[in-house]
Amino acid sequence: METGKVIVEKVRGQSTVTKCFSKYPLKFIIPTKVGSSETDVVWIYTITYGGGIVSGDSIACDITVGDGCTTVLTTQASTKVYKAVGAKSSEQVLEARIGSNAFLAVIPDPVTCFSTAKYSQRQVFKVMADSSLLLVDWITSGRHERGEKWDFELYKSTNHIFYDGDEPLFLDTVSDMGADLKILLEQGTCAGIAERMQDYQVIAMVILLGPKLKHVQNQIQEDVKKIMSQSLHMPTIGSRQYTSRQNDHHLTKPSFLASYSVFGPKGIGVVTRIAAMTTESVYNFLQHQFSSMEPLLGVRPYS
């Protein structure tokens, strides 16, 4: 059952919310204006009445971004998923349609699952040939300052993008160890999640799709190349610093890992995957990558 719906359309040449509906446990906050008055964008903040997602909650949100409109869907803080009560799990579904020459940015703060939490989310986007989409999907290890490190029961995230109706363009294929068509982190596997993730506290995925994000796509690819070249640089055998002892005992794990790949016809999309030891480092990365979008979105995302 739908718990929230927003339609953004052009009214007198401006991106305007023409329909907005929400009910418990979901609520929308839509500021009158974000950033410069000259920026044509609608910002939508999603919040829940309990300050997080409670065991058993089911949220279904429908967003339509009309032709030529720009919309941002975000949060005010991390999405907390509280402890599961018995066999109850929580779920959240987002379905979004992005019109011709329209742009949707889905840029939430990370999901943080408490100990024993059970949570699944599904996000489906339907785009046109000239639509643009920015999607950030990320999760932290939990309240690790309280000793909860990847201690939830289940986290499952599915992201699908369909082109021009029902043609699959992108089916999310990411997990803690590279599983199948979804993020699937579940206790009871061969090795515990915490053991497999070691010191990494955050995993994230960033999707950049469409003509309005071409410059950001180029930047993020170059920056990821530089980051990984520096992080994974190994001294050559002829180097004075290189010894087998150093190789065996003194190599440090990179604190920030990233990779990227292109997808879609003519490489119209770029997906970047991240594993990091701190949430702050991911915030810093996102701030830097999206800083050039201020004229389009009114403010710098994650600033």
Side-chain angles (χ1 to χ4, degrees):
M1 182 179 293
E2 200 169 75
T3 53
K5 184 181 184 71
V6 178
I7 297 176
V8 179
E9 298 174 290
K10 284 285 189 180
V11 177
R12 294 188 291 274
Q14 295 292 314
S15 298
T16 306
V17 175
T18 57
K19 182 174 182 178
C20 181
F21 154 80
S22 65
K23 67 178 183 179
Y24 182 88
L26 179 66
K27 183 178 180 181
F28 296 123
I29 295 179
I30 303 177
T32 304
K33 199 65 183 175
V34 174
S36 169
S37 60
E38 299 178 357
T39 306
D40 179 29
V41 60
V42 171
W43 279 69
I44 304 168
Y45 290 85
T46 63
I47 63 173
T48 52
Y49 282 94
I53 296 177
V54 178
S55 181
D57 277 352
S58 180
I59 298 171
C61 182
D62 186 280
I63 304 289
T64 297
V65 184
D67 295 349
C69 295
T70 299
T71 303
V72 177
L73 186 65
T74 187
T75 55
Q76 292 184 312
S78 64
T79 299
K80 300 175 180 64
V81 182
Y82 296 118
K83 295 184 176 185
V85 177
K88 289 183 179 180
S89 62
S90 307
E91 64 175 0
Q92 190 162 216
V93 177
L94 169 65
E95 294 190 6
R97 285 164 296 281
I98 310 172
S100 176
N101 195 37
F103 175 33
L104 173 63
V106 181
I107 48 174
D109 295 285
V111 171
T112 297
C113 292
F114 287 21
S115 175
T116 75
K118 298 176 182 178
Y119 174 71
S120 64
Q121 66 178 26
R122 176 181 172 84
Q123 301 185 121
V124 179
F125 303 91
K126 295 183 178 180
V127 303
M128 308 294 287
D130 58 351
S131 302
S132 295
L133 169 67
L134 165 60
L135 170 64
V136 179
D137 184 13
W138 54 323
I139 179 174
T140 72
S141 62
R143 301 181 296 176
H144 60 269
E145 71 280 359
R146 297 193 180 190
E148 297 179 6
K149 182 179 177 183
W150 305 108
D151 197 30
F152 44 82
E153 288 293 324
L154 172 68
Y155 173 84
K156 174 182 173 182
S157 180
T158 303
N159 290 286
H160 289 169
I161 304 175
F162 293 96
Y163 171 73
D164 199 18
D166 58 1
E167 180 183 345
L169 179 64
F170 180 88
L171 302 178
D172 187 17
T173 312
V174 67
S175 75
D176 62 320
M177 296 298 285
D180 68 323
L181 296 177
K182 57 205 170 189
I183 293 177
L184 179 54
L185 301 175
E186 188 169 13
Q187 299 290 8
T189 50
C190 296
I193 300 169
E195 180 182 347
R196 285 179 283 150
M197 293 303 294
Q198 299 185 33
D199 296 323
Y200 294 98
Q201 306 294 334
V202 186
I203 55 175
M205 180 181 70
V206 179
I207 293 176
L208 298 159
L209 171 70
K212 294 186 179 181
L213 298 175
K214 189 62 180 177
H215 65 293
V216 186
Q217 292 177 347
N218 294 336
Q219 175 182 304
I220 204 168
Q221 290 178 75
E222 289 303 313
D223 286 352
V224 168
K225 287 178 184 177
K226 292 176 183 177
I227 289 169
M228 297 316 298
S229 176
Q230 295 169 358
S231 297
L232 301 178
H233 175 68
M234 293 286 292
T236 62
I237 293 177
S239 169
R240 293 180 181 178
Q241 288 78 24
Y242 184 92
T243 68
S244 60
R245 177 174 296 180
Q246 287 176 320
N247 187 42
D248 292 340
H249 303 291
H250 296 284
L251 291 179
T252 57
K253 287 178 292 188
S255 61
F256 190 98
L257 293 169
S259 67
Y260 74 86
S261 57
V262 298
F263 65 90
K266 299 180 180 179
I268 60 172
V270 174
V271 55
T272 301
R273 308 185 193 279
I274 298 164
M277 293 186 182
T278 67
T279 307
E280 182 182 8
S281 66
V282 181
Y283 271 119
N284 290 339
F285 177 82
L286 297 175
Q287 288 171 9
H288 174 69
Q289 300 304 322
F290 304 155
S291 61
S292 63
M293 297 173 65
E294 182 175 359
L296 189 60
L297 301 181
V299 298
R300 296 183 180 185
Y302 295 111
S303 59

